[in-house]
């Protein structure tokens, strides 16, 4: 997909991501009737959240790189070349923010009674540190999953979804556990709080610095595989497949002979 296609996809996915979170809450608390203080209702909401993350992971794979989180775009840009970094920072991230703002405006127009998004319940520096720590671990985990199990969609998405949900729960009472500046920006813009010190430090500066630190840490600790390291890995995978095929063929031949 070309860069124009990525930009359009980022806009659409960012819009859809905000709506998905709202629809999950409406489904659980409105349609199914669970109270917000009911633990079983929270469990159901978490299950729907995991399903939602699977759907968006599939959409990202189907669109060949579409994103809805500026931190993911920043990590990809930093890991890539200079042109990739410029494209991510000055094009993709602003588009994702615009998609989130449009989504919140549309949600408020359709459902005026909907809440006002995440709220900071601790001091500013405490909140920035919380969002930073959560972001650091989720970015580090995402990069590790991409390296260790690059071809396993289900396993990678399952581990990543559980990790995101766990970190979200840990930070939900402090900052909302967002780890997505664009999503927070959409709600903050609707409240007229998008340029406040609280919003910029907690939901932008902290996560951005944590993302850069996570990318740097990953590059230092987990160095890229060389061609010599990749070849034995490919060879061993080929051998495993070969011996599996031979074993199955042997079993099939033996069973045929016994039947004869």
């Amino acid at each position: 997909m070309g860069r124009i296609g990525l930009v359009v996809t980022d806009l659409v996915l960012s819009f859809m991501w905000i709506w998905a979170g709202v629809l999950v809450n409406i489904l659980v608390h409105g349609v199914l009737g669970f109270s917000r203080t009911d633990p079983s209702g929270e469990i159901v909401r978490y299950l729907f959240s995991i399903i939602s993350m699977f759907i968006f992971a599939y959409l990202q794979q189907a669109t060949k790189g579409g994103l809805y989180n500026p931190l993911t775009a920043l990590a990809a840009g930093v890991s890539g070349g200079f042109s990739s970094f410029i494209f991510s920072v000055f094009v993709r991230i602003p588009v994702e923010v615009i998609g989130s703002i449009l989504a919140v405006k549309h949600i408020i127009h359709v459902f005026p009674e909907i809440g006002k998004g995440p709220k900071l319940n601790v001091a500013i520096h405490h909140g920035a540190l919380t969002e930073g720590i959560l972001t650091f671990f989720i970015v580090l985990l995402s990069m590790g999953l991409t390296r260790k199990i690059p071809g396993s969609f289900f396993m990678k998405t399952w581990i990543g979804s559980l990790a995101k949900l766990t970190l979200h729960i840990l930070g939900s009472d402090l900052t909302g556990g967002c780890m997505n500046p664009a999503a927070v920006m959409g709600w903050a813009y609707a409240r007229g709080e998008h340029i406040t010190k609280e919003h910029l430090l907690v939901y932008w500066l902290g996560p951005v610095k944590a993302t850069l630190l996570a990318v740097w840490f990953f590059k230092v600790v987990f160095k890229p595989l060389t061609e010599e390291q990749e070849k034995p890995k490919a060879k061993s995978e080929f051998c495993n497949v070969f011996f599996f095929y031979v074993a199955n063929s042997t079993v099939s031949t033996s069973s045929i002979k016994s039947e004869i």
Side-chain angles (χ1 to χ4, degrees), residues 8-30:
V8 174
T9 303
D10 287 357
L11 180 67
V12 174
L13 288 183
S14 300
F15 185 92
M16 292 174 60
W17 177 253
I18 301 297
W19 259 107
V22 172
L23 291 177
V24 166
N25 282 324
I26 292 176
L27 177 62
V28 173
H29 302 298

Side-chain angles (χ1 to χ4, degrees), residues 19 94 110 120 131 133 150 172 177 183 202 205 216 220 228 235:
W19 259 107
V110 178
L120 181 65
E131 282 291 316
I133 292 174
S172 58
V202 175
L205 184 60
W216 172 82
V220 171
E228 290 74 14
K235 183 178 179 181

Side-chain angles (χ1 to χ4, degrees), residues 139-215:
V139 171
L140 201 62
L141 177 65
S142 299
M143 296 181 70
L145 291 175
T146 302
R147 175 189 173 98
K148 294 297 183 182
I149 47 177
S152 178
F153 170 78
F154 178 81
M155 186 59 64
K156 183 168 61 175
T157 306
W158 174 250
I159 296 174
S161 298
L162 288 181
K164 289 178 184 177
L165 182 60
T166 302
L167 293 173
H168 167 72
I169 294 172
L170 291 175
S172 58
D173 292 334
L174 303 177
T175 62
C178 303
M179 298 170 285
N180 187 336
V184 185
M185 181 74 165
W187 293 103
Y189 185 86
R191 299 192 305 264
E193 301 174 357
H194 57 289
I195 56 174
T196 61
K197 179 181 178 182
E198 171 185 303
H199 172 73
L200 295 176
L201 287 179
V202 175
Y203 298 106
W204 279 100
L205 184 60
V208 167
K209 292 176 68 175
T211 300
L212 297 176
L213 180 62
V215 173

